[in-house]
Amino acid sequence: MDPIDIRPAVQRVPLHGSITREDIATLVDSFYLRIRADARLGPIFDARMAGHWDVHLDKMKLFWASVLLKSGEYKGRPVPAHMQMKGEVETDDFRLWLDLFRSTAQDVFSDRDAAAVVIRQAEKIATSLWLAMLGTPFDRPPAFLFEDATPRREDAGR
């Protein structure tokens, strides 16, 4: 007899109604073209992705569809994958990555609200990866991880 899954169904509501799979594909393809052209980040990514760029891009499209559309398609584990680069990646690499991501998102999404939603998700992901790779339990992430560096409510009084 199969066990009955009694967990409530996950709400699959996209973070913004105007974001499409085509937008996500354009975002991923455009972003990684910029990454590959970057003097610092290009060699880091090329060393890891050489001969596997198509697989990586497909995986990133599933990842971003899961994040932005709440599709549930991505089943990977990003933190352990990125931990393999510990020692290669520096704090400033996260700034470079986010700068490229932010400008790409602003170019891809004509709806400014949609672009802001996408960028905020990237900032959360970058913060999580930075903490896992370079932070300690008492470190505060660098301000550049947040598009507007004004203190957030959770930072008030610190």
Side-chain angles (χ1 to χ4, degrees):
M1 184 168 171
D2 289 332
I4 298 173
D5 189 355
I6 58 172
R7 293 176 289 174
V10 174
Q11 286 282 18
R12 302 265 184 224
V13 178
L15 293 182
H16 193 279
S18 73
I19 297 173
T20 67
R21 287 185 181 278
E22 293 76 24
D23 294 332
I24 292 168
T26 301
L27 173 72
V28 168
D29 290 337
S30 301
F31 173 65
Y32 282 100
L33 281 174
R34 293 178 186 192
I35 287 286
R36 293 179 85 175
D38 185 81
R40 167 72 184 153
L41 298 179
I44 293 171
F45 277 82
D46 279 334
R48 298 263 173 202
M49 298 301 137
H52 306 284
W53 272 104
D54 290 343
V55 171
H56 182 69
L57 294 176
D58 289 344
K59 186 184 292 186
M60 291 300 92
K61 290 170 187 171
L62 291 176
F63 173 80
W64 283 105
S66 290
V67 170
L68 300 172
L69 302 177
K70 300 297 183 187
S71 69
E73 297 167 80
Y74 178 77
K75 304 296 183 202
R77 297 179 59 216
V79 172
H82 285 82
M83 289 300 287
Q84 296 173 13
M85 298 187 325
K86 196 171 182 173
E88 291 174 66
V89 175
E90 303 167 359
T91 291
D92 197 54
D93 296 332
F94 285 87
R95 181 190 58 76
L96 295 170
W97 185 93
L98 272 172
D99 286 349
L100 291 172
F101 192 92
R102 287 174 180 136
S103 65
T104 305
Q106 289 166 348
D107 289 346
V108 169
F109 295 94
S110 57
D111 183 316
R112 295 296 109 204
D113 291 337
V117 165
V118 173
I119 290 167
R120 182 67 187 123
Q121 292 304 306
E123 291 169 346
K124 289 179 181 180
I125 292 161
T127 300
S128 175
L129 291 174
W130 180 86
L131 285 167
M133 294 173 70
L134 300 169
T136 68
F138 301 103
D139 285 341
R140 292 183 67 178
F144 66 74
L145 289 171
F146 305 101
E147 187 170 66
D148 93 39
T150 58
R152 301 188 181 289
R153 184 177 320 145
E154 62 269 18
D155 293 338
R158 287 190 190 174

